[in-house]
């Protein structure tokens, strides 16, 4: 009787896990930045995230307070290494193993790791060592017995060309290293993480970047690219990265947008609450419902930056990307 019951329970768990993958789709997450001295405790933040129906977060460092709060929460996490760890992980497999033993192994039974990112917005072309670091960290994770994608986070600015999207191409400086990174990711079936901010493109060139196109708020095609029509710059950025990946042998690598957002303050008329709310709400709706023109069936897993306004970042827009104030009240409302 007990055995039959435990079979039934196991089967139900199996079903639930698989169903939750199905309903996830591409999925939306939130960046949990900690560059502030006034934030609520990690358990309060994880409760807040769950209360808003968000099931994924990204953290920039292996913060054990956050990892503790994630245990048994059902909230999945992308975890970063600090950039300074990349050369150490690259040159010393024991450093990589120790990183995994310290930051992953104690938590992996109760926390779902979506991916581990080597650094944030690094230019692999500046590092002799990115491929070594990816291989060492991947070997360290595998030898721990867990299956977690190991990847890195790049910015769209590594592209020398991104317009029109089909012409997307990494800069000459980034290309040799991106070829190695793409090869590693493709052969392991891991995604690449990309930061993509239409806001910065618009604020940097408002005469040529239409506001509604940047806000994902146009119903009209704004950019034609062969057979494809783009109504928004977010899709154009993602497809530009796909095109660039194809040119370095990474056509099969999935793009996850690990950061996108719009500041609500700090740069005059470019950064109002109305604009930030419009962009982020349109972003959430868009990535939950559709893929990009190049890959229409492929919803882009996307993480909004950020949960909180962070008071220890550089003054100006950098402090004002949050959906919430540190007291957990909304800067503006977003439905997830
Ligand atoms: C977004 O588009 C709608 C419909 O065209 C328009 O009414 C609204 O003003 C736009 N929002 C912004 C912030 O421009």
């Amino acid at each position: 009787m007990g055995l039959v019951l435990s079979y039934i329970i196991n089967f139900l768990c199996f079903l639930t896990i698989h169903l939750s993958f199905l309903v996830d789709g591409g999925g939306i997450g939130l960046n949990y930045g900690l560059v502030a001295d006034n934030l609520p405790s990690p358990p309060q933040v994880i409760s807040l995230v769950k209360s808003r129906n968000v099931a994924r977060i990204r953290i920039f460092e292996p913060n054990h307070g956050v990892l503790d709060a994630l245990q048994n929460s059902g909230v999945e996490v992308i975890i970063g290494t600090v950039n300074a760890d990349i050369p150490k992980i690259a040159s010393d497999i024991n450093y990589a193993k120790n990183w995994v033993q310290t930051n992953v192994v104690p938590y992996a039974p109760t926390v779902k790791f979506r991916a581990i990112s080597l650094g944030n917005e690094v230019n692999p072309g500046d590092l002799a060592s990115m491929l070594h670091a990816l291989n060492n960290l991947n070997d360290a994770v595998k030898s721990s017995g867990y299956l977690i994608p190991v990847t890195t986070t790049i910015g769209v600015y590594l592209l020398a060309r991104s317009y029109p999207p089909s012409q997307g191409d990494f800069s000459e400086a980034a290309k040799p290293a991106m070829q190695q990174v793409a090869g590693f990711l493709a052969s392991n079936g891991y995604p690449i993480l990309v930061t993509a901010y239409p806001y910065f493109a618009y604020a940097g060139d408002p005469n040529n970047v239409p506001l509604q196109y940047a806000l994902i708020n146009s119903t009209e095609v704004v950019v034609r690219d062969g057979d494809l029509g783009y109504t928004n710059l977010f899709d154009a950025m993602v497809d530009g990265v796909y095109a660039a990946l194809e040119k370095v042998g990474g056509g099969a690598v999935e793009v996850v947008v690990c950061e996108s957002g719009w500041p609500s303050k700090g740069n005059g008329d470019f950064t109002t609450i109305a604009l930030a709310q419009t962009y982020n709400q349109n972003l959430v709706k868009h990535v939950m419902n559709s893929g990009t023109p190049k890959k229409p069936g492929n919803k882009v897993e996307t993480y909004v930056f950020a949960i909180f306004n962070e008071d220890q970042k550089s003054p100006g827009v950098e402090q004002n990307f949050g959906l919430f104030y540190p007291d957990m009240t909304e800067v503006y409302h977003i439905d997830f």
Side-chain angles (χ1 to χ4, degrees):
M1 191 63 192
L3 198 63
V4 172
L5 200 61
S6 94
Y7 269 126
I8 292 172
I9 290 169
N10 276 334
F11 182 67
L12 287 176
C13 290
F14 173 85
L15 267 186
T16 319
I17 288 163
H18 286 259
L19 287 176
S20 73
F21 273 125
L22 285 180
V23 292
D24 256 14
I28 198 88
L30 292 173
N31 279 272
Y32 184 1
L34 289 156
V35 189
D37 59 9
N38 53 0
L39 298 184
S41 72
Q44 289 175 293
V45 176
I46 300 306
S47 295
L48 175 68
V49 166
K50 287 183 73 168
S51 76
R52 303 307 302 277
N53 301 319
V54 175
R56 291 190 172 127
I57 63 164
R58 169 173 177 242
I59 54 176
F60 295 84
E61 298 184 20
N63 180 299
H64 285 198
V66 175
L67 290 168
D68 283 335
L70 283 168
Q71 295 200 61
N72 300 307
S73 68
V75 176
E76 201 173 8
V77 65
I78 294 177
I79 179 177
T81 78
V82 296
N83 288 355
D85 273 346
I86 299 172
K88 299 177 203 164
I89 289 171
S91 63
D92 184 358
I93 182 68
N94 287 320
Y95 191 92
K97 284 186 168 161
N98 189 47
W99 195 96
V100 171
Q101 286 302 323
T102 308
N103 301 311
V104 175
V105 170
Y107 299 100
T110 53
V111 175
K112 188 158 180 230
F113 288 91
R114 168 68 180 97
I116 306 173
S117 174
L118 273 158
N120 181 31
E121 293 190 333
V122 284
N123 178 355
D126 293 341
L127 302 165
S129 54
M130 182 52 96
L131 184 61
H132 283 135
L134 288 166
N135 278 318
N136 276 353
L137 196 58
N138 192 39
D139 290 347
V141 171
K142 282 187 168 167
S143 70
S144 77
Y146 292 103
L147 287 173
I148 302 169
V150 171
T151 182
T152 188
T153 298
I154 62 167
V156 288
Y157 53 77
L158 288 190
L159 273 64
R161 294 186 65 184
S162 58
Y163 183 89
S166 60
Q167 298 305 302
D169 203 2
F170 290 109
S171 69
E172 289 309 313
K175 212 175 253 187
M178 283 311 301
Q179 193 136 22
Q180 296 182 332
V181 169
F184 168 87
L185 298 174
S187 67
N188 285 288
Y190 297 159
I192 190 155
L193 310 182
V194 177
T195 66
Y197 285 92
Y199 162 74
F200 286 112
Y202 166 68
D205 192 5
N207 293 327
N208 290 307
V209 179
L211 178 60
Q212 300 302 313
Y213 182 64
L215 289 174
I216 321 181
N217 201 43
S218 169
T219 47
E220 311 288 317
V221 167
V222 177
V223 168
R224 277 244 155 251
D225 183 9
D227 290 341
L228 304 180
Y230 288 84
T231 60
N232 70 79
L233 181 51
F234 176 85
D235 281 350
M237 285 178 159
V238 172
D239 281 356
V241 174
Y242 273 123
L245 285 167
E246 281 170 4
K247 294 181 181 101
V248 294
V253 176
E254 179 196 352
V255 170
V256 168
V257 174
C258 66
E259 269 185 52
S260 191
W262 197 291
S264 61
K265 211 172 136 181
N267 188 15
D269 290 347
F270 295 153
T271 52
T272 63
I273 283 179
L275 293 183
Q277 183 173 28
T278 300
Y279 177 77
N280 282 322
Q281 187 66 75
N282 287 343
L283 177 67
V284 169
K285 258 193 253 165
H286 176 60
V287 300
M288 304 277 274
N289 291 320
S290 38
T292 63
K294 188 175 165 67
K295 295 179 182 267
N298 190 4
K299 293 174 190 163
V300 183
E301 182 179 330
T302 300
Y303 295 72
V304 176
F305 189 88
I307 303 178
F308 294 110
N309 283 339
E310 293 169 68
D311 68 343
Q312 293 180 323
K313 299 203 103 175
S314 319
V317 296
E318 292 296 333
Q319 294 185 353
N320 292 291
F321 274 91
L323 305 181
F324 294 91
Y325 296 107
D327 68 2
M328 302 209 287
T329 59
E330 293 180 331
V331 178
Y332 47 86
H333 184 73
I334 297 290
D335 283 315
F336 290 99

